[in-house]
Amino acid sequence: MSNVSVDASESSQAQGQPQNNNRRRFLTVATSVVGGLGVAGAAVPFIASWNPSAKAKAAGADVEVDISGIEPGQLVRVMWRSKPVWIVRRTPELLATLGAHEDQLKDPNSEEEQQPGFAKNEYRSLKAEYLILVGICTHLGCSPQHLKDGAMEQYAEGVAEGFFCPCHGSKFDMAGRVFENVPAPTNLVVPPYQFVDDTHVIIGSEAEVA
């Protein structure tokens, strides 16, 4: 509005009334500066709104992971929606042991909805070899430790490998299933995911079922 007002005033003055050139020059420059600052002030929040915030990205972005370098028995961690996600490449020997301790588990058949439909099986996974879990204890949100090479046996008899939460003693097997008599009420969460090919997985969305 200030630019329009000055423009109109300068047009009428130019038609016949003498004016002080210095004063006109000062008004023109001052108004332009004020107007420019106003436009800049309005533009900053508007332009900022074009760029999604880090929080928005964290809230919904899928994560693609190259799993080609994961060795048998190895666990890798990635971040998805500001949460740690574990990807474990389980060995055939480990998979063969999962049925041996089901009598020690709260929910061995994954009756609680802690996983997508495709993971409601004995391995809690889309492909038996790869276990993908949100690495957060279902008790109070701590992140359990991965214990292997017999280290888990001190917490779960006959179980050589698993996850143990040192905060309050919750424990889970290598399918993310919770043991009896611990504070955690449910199995670890399996996030939605899909395999793009044999070496890449997308965490955050599932393949559509035809």
Side-chain angles (χ1 to χ4, degrees):
M1 295 297 294
S2 58
N3 281 337
V4 173
S5 175
V6 171
D7 288 344
S9 173
E10 288 183 348
S11 296
S12 63
Q13 291 161 359
Q15 289 176 1
Q17 299 180 10
Q19 297 292 325
N20 185 308
N21 289 335
N22 290 334
R23 182 171 178 274
R24 292 177 57 194
R25 189 176 299 111
F26 170 79
L27 288 175
T28 301
V29 172
T31 304
S32 298
V33 170
V34 172
L37 289 174
V39 171
V44 170
F46 180 67
I47 293 172
S49 71
W50 297 345
N51 300 313
S53 66
K55 183 177 180 181
K57 291 178 182 178
D62 292 353
V63 176
E64 182 171 333
V65 184
D66 183 346
I67 59 175
S68 62
I70 304 178
E71 299 292 334
Q74 185 180 12
L75 179 151
V76 299
R77 295 172 176 84
V78 298
M79 294 301 294
W80 169 70
R81 297 188 178 183
S82 299
K83 300 174 183 177
V85 171
W86 300 331
I87 304 175
V88 187
R89 186 176 178 185
R90 296 178 289 195
T91 63
E93 293 77 16
L94 188 150
L95 292 172
T97 68
L98 290 179
H101 54 263
E102 290 186 346
D103 59 336
Q104 302 180 51
L105 304 175
K106 285 184 183 179
D107 185 13
N109 299 316
S110 301
E111 298 297 334
E112 293 287 339
E113 295 185 1
Q114 292 290 94
Q115 60 282 311
F118 66 72
K120 194 175 180 180
N121 53 55
E122 59 182 317
Y123 305 117
R124 297 190 77 222
S125 60
L126 190 56
K127 294 183 179 181
E129 183 179 7
Y130 291 100
L131 173 66
I132 300 178
L133 297 170
V134 175
I136 297 177
C137 180
T138 54
H139 177 220
L140 291 178
C142 304
S143 188
Q145 300 172 347
H146 178 211
L147 302 182
K148 55 189 303 186
D149 299 326
M152 188 67 182
E153 290 192 33
Q154 62 181 310
Y155 304 110
E157 184 179 353
V159 181
E161 185 173 352
F163 304 104
F164 177 72
C165 186
C167 299
H168 303 96
S170 294
K171 50 192 177 181
F172 308 86
D173 75 350
M174 288 306 295
R177 298 176 297 181
V178 66
F179 282 82
E180 292 274 12
N181 304 315
V182 300
T186 57
N187 296 340
L188 295 176
V189 172
V190 176
Y193 66 86
Q194 59 180 299
F195 286 93
V196 179
D197 50 38
D198 291 338
T199 59
H200 293 83
V201 62
I202 292 178
I203 300 168
S205 61
E206 300 175 45
E208 294 184 4
V209 179

